[in-house]
Amino acid sequence: MTQNHVSENRHVRAKKGPSMVTRAVVALLAVILFSGFFGLGYWQVERRAWKFDLIERVDARVQGDPVTAPDHADWENVTRDRDEYRKVMLLGTYRNDLESHVYAATDYGAGYWVITPMARVDGTIIMINRGFVPTDHRDRATRPEGMIEGQTRVTGLLRLDEPGGTFIRDNVPQEDRWYSRDVRAMAIKRGLDPDRVAPYFIDADGKNNPGKLPVGGLTKISFPNNHLMYALTWFGMAALTLVGAWLVLRHRKGDGDDVDLDAPKN
């Protein structure tokens, strides 16, 4: 190998930085990702504000004075945003012979919600979740004290119909197996006119249940509020996108410069 060839090999070019095309692609991807992550973070901030407003509104309904349960003329106006968890009262007569049982797991253990139709004086029906009974008290004959006869007043929280079943299990009306409080399907199963049955039910407070069965007033109101954590996660991803883009696009010393290893040093 000649001296000239060695000299040529010692005249090297430093590693080049990203090309202009690469820089443009990286910058474009950074803008898209940053916009997406930042948008998701901002959406979570808005959801957090909405959740706080929902909690405040529901708390006001639960703590407020009871109002008369919506009648037939107002059923079409009943909505989740306006009415769910509103404290209501109702005067009517239990149809104890037509009660249904919904599988339930509570602090009292496994058992059933007792859903009993209540007839109003105008002939309409509102389903009442009278409360929880353990498995060995599913048969109403085992709790005769709770079979209230004649007109009675019920106070509780208005809840919207739960058609179909749960995320895990579907209702099986033909076998009288219920996993959600599907009031319309229950009405049909019990031979009631579904058009005369309210599209909601009432979680009774159970204060007037003789014999302490069913156990009422077990409604749990919980609204998970993890939106701040989600927002910080998305904003963090947006920040990391900017950092990553800067690391790729920054001009590094010596990018594109020729280096002569044989050049004399001062």
Side-chain angles (χ1 to χ4, degrees):
M1 182 179 294
T2 66
Q3 182 65 30
N4 287 340
H5 189 70
V6 172
S7 177
E8 288 175 359
N9 282 343
R10 293 176 63 81
H11 183 80
V12 298
R13 187 174 183 82
K15 184 179 179 181
K16 291 184 177 181
S19 67
M20 291 302 296
V21 173
T22 300
R23 290 174 182 270
V25 171
V26 170
L28 178 61
L29 287 175
V31 170
I32 294 173
L33 290 175
F34 176 82
S35 299
F37 290 143
F38 188 86
L40 287 170
Y42 186 76
W43 177 65
Q44 287 295 335
V45 171
E46 291 184 323
R47 290 282 295 174
R48 184 169 182 263
W50 170 83
K51 185 64 68 68
F52 278 127
D53 179 65
L54 173 64
I55 293 172
E56 183 178 346
R57 284 187 285 115
V58 169
D59 187 63
R61 295 173 194 170
V62 172
Q63 302 301 327
D65 295 328
V67 298
T68 303
D71 58 20
H72 188 272
D74 197 34
W75 286 355
E76 62 182 12
N77 298 318
V78 173
T79 64
R80 192 174 303 277
D81 287 342
R82 191 193 78 166
D83 299 294
E84 183 142 47
Y85 298 110
R86 187 180 301 281
K87 186 180 289 187
V88 296
M89 57 183 177
L90 173 68
L91 183 66
T93 304
Y94 281 127
R95 294 292 308 274
N96 294 307
D97 57 319
L98 299 179
E99 71 177 27
S100 300
H101 309 106
V102 180
Y103 288 96
T106 72
D107 294 339
Y108 290 86
Y112 301 89
W113 298 121
V114 176
I115 311 298
T116 307
M118 173 170 272
R120 305 179 93 169
V121 294
D122 63 358
T124 58
I125 298 289
I126 295 180
M127 294 293 194
I128 309 297
N129 177 13
R130 297 194 60 198
F132 171 83
V133 294
T135 303
D136 57 353
H137 282 82
R138 178 181 185 180
D139 188 342
R140 59 193 180 94
T142 63
R143 40 186 167 85
E145 302 92 341
M147 298 295 104
I148 301 174
E149 301 292 340
Q151 278 203 338
T152 188
R153 187 176 300 276
V154 171
T155 301
L157 302 179
L158 186 150
R159 304 292 305 281
L160 272 296
D161 188 18
E162 300 171 347
T166 67
F167 179 76
I168 300 175
R169 293 180 175 179
D170 294 332
N171 294 327
V172 188
Q174 61 271 25
E175 298 179 13
D176 209 18
R177 285 194 284 120
W178 308 96
Y179 301 98
S180 72
R181 289 158 290 196
D182 187 342
V183 296
R184 182 178 178 83
M186 289 177 182
I188 295 174
K189 178 65 177 178
R190 295 293 180 261
L192 299 170
D193 181 356
D195 293 332
R196 303 293 291 172
V197 177
Y200 60 85
F201 61 94
I202 296 174
D203 273 346
D205 58 21
K207 290 180 179 179
N208 64 345
N209 283 354
K212 305 302 181 182
L213 284 176
V215 181
L218 299 182
T219 307
K220 288 189 175 182
I221 303 174
S222 176
F223 299 102
N225 191 1
N226 300 317
H227 299 295
L228 178 59
M229 180 183 68
Y230 296 150
L232 292 176
T233 299
W234 290 122
F235 286 142
M237 293 293 289
L240 287 176
T241 298
L242 294 182
V243 172
W246 176 78
L247 290 174
V248 173
L249 298 176
R250 65 176 177 152
H251 179 75
R252 290 167 294 185
K253 185 177 180 180
D255 280 0
D257 294 337
D258 288 333
V259 179
D260 190 346
L261 299 181
D262 290 324
K265 298 180 181 179
N266 293 330

